[in-house]
Amino acid sequence: MQDSDSIQVQLSHEEGVVRLRVANKTTNEDETYFVDPIQFTLDPAVFNSDIEDDFAILRKVGDTYYAVPYLVKDDKFVITTRHAGDYVYVKNDRAFNDIAGLYSEDYILELAKRGIINGVDQFVYNPNASIS
């Protein structure tokens, strides 16, 4: 539990999902969006896992997953977000067969792993296509 002058932050986890709850100390109501980002650290053990190359943390809203800015420091995830809610550790093993040898191959795979970009399908990225 982390506190500031106006909010109280609580993390809980169950079955591979980490729930970030942020409450306004004055009203005790849940906050879902923050003007100033909140940063929190997670040990991968809460997901019953070690940090692996083809896994990423995403924010889950209903059936939709959103990319989350994070970095790995001292074998822990450091997540920066403006949203309370559920965070999941997911395997995203894209294997685009049309980017091998490109200078940008590692960057494309990292962005795809984090759910920031998608290819045409799981195996085709089409690196020469226009971005929209």
Side-chain angles (χ1 to χ4, degrees):
M1 184 96 59
Q2 298 174 330
D3 292 336
S4 76
D5 291 339
S6 60
I7 62 170
Q8 180 179 26
V9 179
Q10 180 180 10
L11 289 173
S12 60
H13 59 89
E14 179 180 313
E15 297 182 26
V17 176
V18 172
R19 179 157 290 129
L20 171 65
R21 179 179 181 264
V22 180
N24 182 309
K25 280 186 172 180
T26 306
T27 64
N28 200 31
E29 292 180 9
D30 285 352
E31 300 284 337
T32 57
Y33 178 79
F34 326 112
V35 174
D36 296 319
I38 290 177
Q39 191 172 75
F40 61 98
T41 302
L42 287 178
D43 188 316
V46 302
F47 297 111
N48 298 319
S49 184
D50 295 323
I51 294 175
E52 298 181 36
D53 288 341
D54 56 353
F55 278 77
I57 293 184
L58 301 174
R59 185 170 62 94
K60 185 174 189 257
V61 179
D63 292 333
T64 305
Y65 294 87
Y66 295 93
V68 176
Y70 72 90
L71 57 92
V72 177
K73 184 176 179 182
D74 299 326
D75 292 325
K76 293 187 179 8
F77 295 108
V78 180
I79 300 165
T80 303
T81 185
R82 292 176 187 254
H83 300 275
D86 295 340
Y87 291 80
V88 294
Y89 187 53
V90 297
K91 183 177 180 91
N92 196 347
D93 55 354
R94 298 287 176 146
F96 300 127
N97 58 21
D98 60 345
I99 61 170
L102 290 178
Y103 73 93
S104 56
E105 178 180 6
D106 291 340
Y107 301 106
I108 292 169
L109 292 174
E110 182 66 21
L111 291 171
K113 174 184 87 172
R114 291 182 179 222
I116 296 170
I117 62 171
N118 295 305
V120 175
D121 62 35
Q122 183 175 357
F123 302 104
V124 177
Y125 177 71
N126 196 0
N128 296 319
S130 298
I131 296 175
S132 59

